[in-house]
Amino acid sequence: MAVMGSRQMNGEMLFELGMNYASGRDVPEDLVSAHKWFNLAAMRGVREAVQYRKEISEAMSSADIAEAQRAAREWMSMH
């Protein structure tokens, strides 16, 4: 399990990061980052993340989705 600071990053935490970036809550709105966090949350079993990732992908270009997927793979390789 990944660690952020001293906290273990579980699927729900990753999902919340996705929500923050999707809505611009506490951070600037960024669909690429939101997609990345939803993707990671989905891989950790958060079913809601699959739906949110699908919804925001409809507003993203293919290049943006590819960037988000690369970012998710990079994050996974580092954590």
Side-chain angles (χ1 to χ4, degrees):
M1 191 169 292
V3 177
M4 183 173 208
S6 62
R7 297 183 343 189
Q8 296 282 332
M9 292 296 289
N10 63 32
E12 289 298 321
M13 292 172 159
L14 297 168
F15 178 76
E16 283 303 314
L17 284 170
M19 291 298 292
N20 289 347
Y21 280 100
S23 66
R25 182 177 62 204
D26 300 325
V27 294
E29 184 178 310
D30 179 349
L31 295 183
V32 172
S33 292
H35 190 286
K36 173 183 92 172
W37 294 120
F38 287 145
N39 196 25
L40 292 165
M43 290 190 304
R44 295 255 165 87
V46 179
R47 291 184 181 194
E48 286 177 285
V50 175
Q51 182 61 36
Y52 280 93
R53 181 184 60 199
K54 181 179 183 284
E55 287 177 18
I56 66 169
S57 69
E58 294 171 4
M60 298 170 69
S61 70
S62 297
D64 287 342
I65 293 169
E67 180 183 344
Q69 291 171 335
R70 276 192 301 275
R73 284 191 301 271
E74 181 179 309
W75 191 88
M76 286 296 294
S77 72
M78 297 176 73
H79 297 92

